[in-house]
């Protein structure tokens, strides 16, 4: 199987069988962001453990396969992380998407490596980063 085909397959799998996706009532949506250029919307909710690690992270929303797969991957990456680990991970992933770090670094985070082919496509990259921007917003709002 070609590398690109494998990545497309991983994206489709997350799109068809999203992890940690749940219908979230508006009051449960910790943060919501839209990507108007594609019609994507991602809402996130984090439930923190008493030791400030992520016990559950859920997403809701609609949009293209990349935006939804990216949100699904995000939840898998972040579950069990502490607040500071979550912030560091988000910062590193933003650096990789901005091509400030090699794309191969995505590999340590699992399935998200499948998005590496989008790094040179700004329009599709907006879809891929939407969930991570929503996370930034959520962590910022909770931090204040
Ligand atoms: Zn999109």
């Amino acid at each position: 199987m070609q590398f690109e085909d494998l990545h497309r397959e991983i994206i489709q799998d997350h799109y068809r069988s999203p992890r940690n996706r749940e219908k979230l009532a508006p009051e449960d949506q910790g943060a919501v962001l839209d990507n108007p250029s594609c019609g994507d919307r991602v809402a996130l909710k984090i439930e923190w453990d008493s030791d400030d690690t992520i016990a559950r992270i859920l997403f809701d929303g609609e949009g293209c396969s990349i935006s939804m797969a990216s949100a699904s991957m995000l939840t898998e990456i972040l579950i069990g992380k502490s607040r500071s680990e979550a912030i560091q991970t988000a910062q590193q992933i933003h650096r990789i998407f901005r091509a400030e770090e090699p794309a191969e670094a995505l590999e340590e985070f699992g399935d998200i490596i499948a998005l590496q082919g989008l790094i040179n496509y700004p329009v599709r990259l907006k879809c891929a980063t939407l969930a991570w921007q929503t996370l930034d917003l959520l962590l910022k709002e909770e931090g204040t």
Side-chain angles (χ1 to χ4, degrees):
M1 193 187 269
Q2 290 281 319
F3 191 57
E4 290 80 12
D5 290 340
L6 175 64
H7 284 175
R8 199 170 301 124
E9 198 45 55
I10 294 171
I11 292 168
Q12 283 303 317
D13 179 58
H14 275 270
Y15 181 54
R16 283 191 296 256
S17 313
R19 325 305 195 254
N20 305 298
R21 181 178 184 155
E22 222 167 78
K23 203 85 212 127
L24 296 175
E27 63 271 23
D28 287 335
Q29 297 177 0
V32 193
L33 274 183
D34 292 293
N35 171 24
S37 63
C38 183
D40 309 319
R41 187 181 61 87
V42 170
L44 284 177
K45 177 191 182 186
I46 293 180
E47 293 172 12
W48 297 95
D49 254 331
S50 52
D51 63 352
D52 218 27
T53 59
I54 296 175
R56 288 180 88 209
I57 174 163
L58 301 168
F59 84 98
D60 191 7
E62 66 258 329
C64 66
S65 57
I66 291 169
S67 65
M68 294 296 103
S70 177
S72 170
M73 292 166 184
L74 174 147
T75 65
E76 281 198 321
I77 291 167
L78 293 177
I79 196 135
K81 288 206 188 300
S82 70
R83 191 179 293 268
S84 59
E85 286 168 346
I87 292 168
Q88 277 173 16
T89 300
Q91 286 171 344
Q92 187 181 1
I93 284 174
H94 281 303
R95 284 197 299 275
I96 297 168
F97 281 141
R98 286 196 302 263
E100 295 167 7
E101 276 191 42
E104 296 76 57
L106 286 176
E107 206 143 26
E108 76 171 277
F109 301 109
D111 286 352
I112 195 172
I113 188 70
L115 300 179
Q116 70 161 5
L118 307 173
I119 287 171
N120 298 315
Y121 297 94
V123 174
R124 304 309 282 162
L125 198 54
K126 275 190 189 175
C127 303
T129 54
L130 180 64
W132 291 93
Q133 284 165 351
T134 310
L135 175 76
D136 291 344
L137 181 66
L138 191 153
L139 292 172
K140 204 187 300 171
E141 283 178 351
E142 285 191 340
T144 54

